[in-house]
Amino acid sequence: MSSQCCEHQTCVKNVPIFRNLKEKEVHKISRLIEQRNFSSQEVIFHEGDPVGRMLILRKGRVKLVRFGEDGSEYLLDILLPGDICGGDQLFSQSKYTETGIALEEVETCTIQAESLKKEIIDNPQMAFDIMEYLNDKMTDYRDTLKIVGTKDALQRIILFLLDRNRRLGSPEIKMTQEEIGNAIYLTKETVNRKLSELQKRGWIDIYGKKKIRILDEFSMRNYES
């Protein structure tokens, strides 16, 4: 078996929607994969581009953004290894509703929509797994809306950091202050002040340009504005 084939199978096995596949089915899906690499800050797809395929993030992080009329960037989500994009648009002639930009060196695996549809017909369980994944994503988006709707800026940042901690499964969060502000509609200056306040309380540590570590999750969860 070639090393590339092994890489493709690893990509398939790390994706939640393929978790119920048998080894033979994993091998079959892996043969449909096309792999692409992207540099940091490279655009992977633009808002308005036709979908046509499902994208699987194998390595790195990808931010999903929309741009306002004045060019302002609004962060919708950050994809992590194992996440998919385009799964909710496979069964219609759809276009991307956001722009995907690599935040670091990124490796993706893509599967043409028509090829994946044929596999789903042969394995209906896959359709249920896709729906379950998309339902979890919708829950994440609803949680984000609740965070954005919080009036107190410090509490909004606390809730956002805790939410990222939950999604990542790690106390370390790699995001710039500008990215945090774009995600929860706060200015970079406000984010800077509130993160400094949290650091003074000993609840977080900030190091480098885009690394935040949660130190006192208990106090953050019990904070009331």
Side-chain angles (χ1 to χ4, degrees):
M1 184 181 297
S2 69
S3 59
Q4 187 177 47
C5 183
C6 289
E7 288 181 0
H8 291 177
Q9 289 198 32
T10 300
C11 189
V12 172
K13 290 178 179 179
N14 288 338
V15 180
I17 66 169
F18 297 136
R19 63 188 173 191
N20 291 312
L21 296 183
K22 297 177 181 178
E23 194 66 32
K24 184 178 179 180
E25 295 165 336
V26 168
H27 180 70
K28 191 175 180 181
I29 291 290
S30 68
R31 295 177 66 181
L32 303 175
I33 284 177
E34 298 174 22
Q35 189 169 324
R36 287 195 62 188
N37 299 337
F38 297 88
S39 302
S40 178
Q41 300 306 312
E42 186 174 354
V43 174
I44 298 172
F45 52 82
H46 290 90
E47 181 178 354
D49 286 348
V51 178
R53 62 182 64 194
M54 185 177 71
L55 181 148
I56 304 166
L57 185 58
R58 183 173 184 269
K59 180 181 178 182
R61 296 178 302 139
V62 173
K63 65 177 178 179
L64 302 181
V65 301
R66 287 181 187 163
F67 296 97
E69 293 183 359
D70 60 353
S72 300
E73 180 183 296
Y74 299 95
L75 180 64
L76 304 177
D77 198 5
I78 294 180
L79 302 182
L80 303 170
D83 278 336
I84 65 172
C85 190
D88 55 335
Q89 298 151 319
L90 284 174
F91 304 100
S92 61
Q93 297 296 319
S94 298
K95 297 180 179 180
Y96 284 110
T97 57
E98 62 280 303
T99 296
I101 303 173
L103 285 173
E104 55 202 26
E105 295 293 317
V106 160
E107 295 180 9
T108 67
C109 301
T110 60
I111 303 176
Q112 293 289 341
E114 290 304 318
S115 298
L116 188 58
K117 287 178 188 177
K118 293 176 183 177
E119 295 304 319
I120 290 174
I121 291 173
D122 292 337
N123 191 337
Q125 178 62 45
M126 199 185 302
F128 287 102
D129 291 337
I130 290 175
M131 286 189 289
E132 183 178 354
Y133 173 86
L134 296 175
N135 183 65
D136 289 342
K137 276 294 179 184
M138 287 302 299
T139 299
D140 288 342
Y141 292 146
R142 284 193 291 268
D143 290 342
T144 299
L145 288 175
K146 290 179 183 177
I147 293 169
V148 171
T150 302
K151 292 183 178 180
D152 180 72
L154 183 62
Q155 188 169 31
R156 195 186 302 184
I157 289 177
I158 288 173
L159 291 174
F160 179 76
L161 294 178
L162 291 174
D163 183 63
R164 295 309 303 177
N165 174 37
R166 175 185 64 81
R167 296 194 201 186
L168 294 168
S170 167
E172 184 176 287
I173 299 157
K174 293 173 63 178
M175 292 183 72
T176 65
Q177 294 178 7
E178 185 175 11
E179 288 168 349
I180 293 173
N182 290 342
I184 54 178
Y185 300 89
L186 293 174
T187 65
K188 181 180 177 181
E189 292 73 23
T190 299
V191 173
N192 180 274
R193 289 197 306 271
K194 299 305 178 180
L195 288 178
S196 295
E197 183 177 338
L198 291 175
Q199 189 173 33
K200 288 177 182 178
R201 294 182 184 219
W203 295 0
I204 67 170
D205 189 19
I206 303 171
Y207 50 104
K209 291 185 177 180
K210 54 181 181 179
K211 289 186 180 180
I212 301 168
R213 176 174 287 274
I214 294 176
L215 301 177
D216 191 346
E217 182 178 339
F218 178 81
S219 294
M220 291 175 68
R221 291 194 179 280
N222 286 278
Y223 170 78
E224 293 184 5
S225 58

